[in-house]
Amino acid sequence: MNRYSPLAILRRNHLPIVSILGCISCLYILSQKDALNNRAAVGSNIGNQIDLLKRWNILDGEGARPAQVVPSVLDRKPQSAAGGGNIQNAGRDKSPEVGEHPVPVEAVAAPPVAQVEQQPIVPAQPPADAAAAAAGAADQGGPVVSYNDPERVKFPGYEQCAKVDFQPEHAMPLVALAAYMSSGDVIIRQRLQSATGIYTGTWNEAEAGYPRSKSGVFLGSTIDYKLGRTVMAKTQIAQPDHIVTYEGGAVLVIRNPQTMIIAEYMRRKREADRSKQPTSEDVAGWFQLPEWKTFFETEVGNWRAFAIQWITYAKRLIIVSYEYFIENPVPETTRIIVFLNVQQDDARISCSIQAYPRDHIDKTIEFDPYTDEMKAKIATFAREVNQTIITRGLRPLPGWKSTL
């Protein structure tokens, strides 16, 4: 055999060649192992993020304010006690069943927005006895009480979310509960007070004389909301110079405009004549009046402008669908608490929902008062609001079911 033939060379050098081939094989195997580990790590990270989003249903955050400027069509000014308020609490939550746009709001996925880590605010502990409570009230400029709410459902263990107090002055950032008229702010305030142990306030000084304020349910409405002693302050003003004063941002509550407009119209009609309980014939007649169409045109435009103004100018923002809050009370209440950066207490959250139960939207009419033209306008404005939400990088509105 020729000593230079391939076979002869292989025989003379088989050990080095085998060694080289073995090393190459080992390197290849190690590289594949590293690649698999990298893919597994990435997959695990994505899975964790997806699980987190699914668990909390959170896509909202502190998205940067968009550059566009939306001129306001709302010219209402914050009202003082002397000027009086035109928003009454009576009958605010006796609202019709949830309805649907003829063209449902598109559920477009929004990109997640980075969250800013902060230390949760721990509610101040109430004093141990009445004397200490009185002293604390004098020091802080207001009462420290456990209110007795006649609307609260009492059940074994309800006391764990019955104690609600003020924080020391300027202990809380100024956060707005921005909710247009008849949008469910009452139930949200009741649950959030019970879940956090901190009162909510209001921008409207006239509310100090409302029954819920005088009874102690919304005791935060009796003090200046700018003192920083409440977890958030209700407002129905949408002027940019008012919105930017809330350095802590806003919880913007958006209700289906179909049901919101009906609820507000009926509330005002009831308030106009409290001498009798309206019959179903009376209610049907209200929607045949010429003022119904005028009311609709005004309120659907105000609903759109209110939402777009807050979405545009709020420094921080979380969008809360009223219907979704009612249908998914635990995750939505938790979601708001996380945004408020208040210490989360799962037992109090559960207790607050039991204390103020509501698993449906009350239905008060059995007919559809909207024309096709009205429904088309509602659908158009709802899409505009939804697109503004998506532009800011927040979770879009859910679709709305119809029973009208």
Side-chain angles (χ1 to χ4, degrees), residues 147-164 186-196 217 325 329-330 333 346-359:
Y147 68 82
N148 182 25
D149 185 354
E151 297 177 37
R152 180 197 290 121
V153 175
K154 294 184 179 181
F155 55 92
Y158 84 94
E159 297 88 354
Q160 65 182 318
C161 62
K163 293 185 182 297
V164 180
V186 170
I187 184 67
I188 291 175
R189 290 181 69 182
Q190 287 171 327
R191 283 186 181 173
L192 264 295
Q193 286 185 163
S194 291
T196 63
V217 178
F325 178 85
V330 173
T333 302
D346 292 340
R348 285 197 73 126
I349 292 173
S350 177
C351 174
S352 71
I353 294 166
Q354 287 183 271
Y356 297 100
R358 181 174 302 172
D359 56 4

Side-chain angles (χ1 to χ4, degrees), residues 254 311 319 385-397:
I254 300 180
I311 297 165
I319 306 290
V385 169
N386 209 34
Q387 188 55 54
T388 308
I389 294 171
I390 294 169
T391 298
R392 180 149 180 178
L394 303 179
R395 186 181 72 180
L397 295 171

